[in-house]
């Protein structure tokens, strides 16, 4: 993956389990924080106001993260469909060591939540420009 965006979430004391490591569900929170920052900085929108939902998430854990660690999440949008977009993530310690890799798929949905809606052209253009794609990423 060629990451186009980096976010640095904070490892909080509440993230740590009784073994002294970041608890595995917390990684999904780090991905969500990264996704929200990407939407804000790239698309120019507050993710909490957008009609999107995560329909798939997969996380592969490589090494534990401890409270004293600083981490960064490198991410890129790797695919845009008609109503969905796929993001890939590398979670790394400050020294560059990969501690987890992940993928999410988000879908834009209708107001009632029962049907998908197309990804807006403005999002497509902004993502294409950020990711360095040469095509328009037609649905």
């Amino acid at each position: 993956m060629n990451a186009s965006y980096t976010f640095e979430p904070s490892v909080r004391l509440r993230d740590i389990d009784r073994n002294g490591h970041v608890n595995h569900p917390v990684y999904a929170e780090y991905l969500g924080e990264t996704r929200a920052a990407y939407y804000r900085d790239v698309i120019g929108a507050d993710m909490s106001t957008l009609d999107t939902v995560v329909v798939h998430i997969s996380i592969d854990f490589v090494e534990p993260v401890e409270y004293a660690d600083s981490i960064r999440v490198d991410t890129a949008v790797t695919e845009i469909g008609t109503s969905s977009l796929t993001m890939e993530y590398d979670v790394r310690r400050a020294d560059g060591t990969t501690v987890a890799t992940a993928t999410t798929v988000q879908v834009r949905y209708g107001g009632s939540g029962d049907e998908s809606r197309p990804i807006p052209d403005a999002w497509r253009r902004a993502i294409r420009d950020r990711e360095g794609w040469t095509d328009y990423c037609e649905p």
Side-chain angles (χ1 to χ4, degrees), residues 22-35:
V22 170
N23 200 349
H24 65 280
V26 175
Y27 286 79
E29 292 179 32
Y30 296 155
L31 302 180
E33 291 173 29
T34 301
R35 203 166 38 257

Side-chain angles (χ1 to χ4, degrees), residues 63 70-72 74 90-100:
E63 290 194 19
S70 294
I71 61 169
R72 73 173 197 257
D74 298 329
D90 285 326
V91 183
R92 301 175 185 271
R93 283 196 199 96
D95 68 4
T97 303
T98 297
V99 297

Side-chain angles (χ1 to χ4, degrees), residues 9 41 56 69-70 73 97 112 131 136 139:
D41 296 342
H56 172 81
D69 290 335
S70 294
V73 181
T97 303
S112 63
E131 301 300 336
Y136 181 63

